Amino acid sequence: MRDPLFTLRLTDYRPRYGEAWRPRALMGLVVSKKTLKRAVDRNRARRRVREALRTMPPELLPGGLPACRAIVMLNPGVLAVPFAELQGALARALGRAAGQLGRGGGK
């Protein structure tokens, strides 16, 4: 699922071998050197998205984060966009993706 700020890849939640079944959202944030050259910018982009997910208001994502494994690949626009707009884009993408997971099309 693509957005101007990031690309989101989602799969259903599955525990690792030997791990107890505890459905939750597992998120990985990826920023390549090709996208943002300086390590300072890559780290700042990761911190902004991590904080946006952590402080997401419940009204943006009423059901909470879906139980899934997700990879969020960030684009340079994440650094320039206002924080509320970043949270809105993440909520929209996760809401659409959660709907696809429920239907079985989450790849």
Side-chain angles (χ1 to χ4, degrees), residues 22-57:
R22 289 183 313 210
R24 61 193 187 277
L26 298 171
M27 299 267 180
L29 302 174
V30 178
V31 188
S32 69
K33 276 188 179 180
K34 187 175 180 181
T35 303
L36 290 169
K37 301 284 185 209
R38 298 180 340 159
V40 171
D41 294 334
R42 291 194 301 273
N43 291 332
R44 193 172 57 182
R46 278 190 213 102
R47 281 195 307 268
R48 282 197 73 181
V49 171
R50 196 176 301 130
E51 187 66 13
L53 288 168
R54 190 182 72 80
T55 61
M56 187 164 303

Side-chain angles (χ1 to χ4, degrees), residues 7-89:
T7 301
L8 177 68
R9 292 180 177 239
L10 233 63
T11 61
D12 291 325
Y13 172 78
R14 280 174 278 139
R16 291 182 176 171
Y17 180 77
E19 187 179 46
W21 178 262
R22 289 183 313 210
R24 61 193 187 277
L26 298 171
M27 299 267 180
L29 302 174
V30 178
V31 188
S32 69
K33 276 188 179 180
K34 187 175 180 181
T35 303
L36 290 169
K37 301 284 185 209
R38 298 180 340 159
V40 171
D41 294 334
R42 291 194 301 273
N43 291 332
R44 193 172 57 182
R46 278 190 213 102
R47 281 195 307 268
R48 282 197 73 181
V49 171
R50 196 176 301 130
E51 187 66 13
L53 288 168
R54 190 182 72 80
T55 61
M56 187 164 303
E59 57 271 4
L60 283 181
L61 206 58
L65 292 175
C68 63
R69 289 182 182 269
I71 297 175
V72 183
M73 293 175 274
L74 306 177
N75 293 335
V78 167
L79 295 175
V81 73
F83 194 72
E85 192 175 323
L86 175 60
Q87 280 186 321

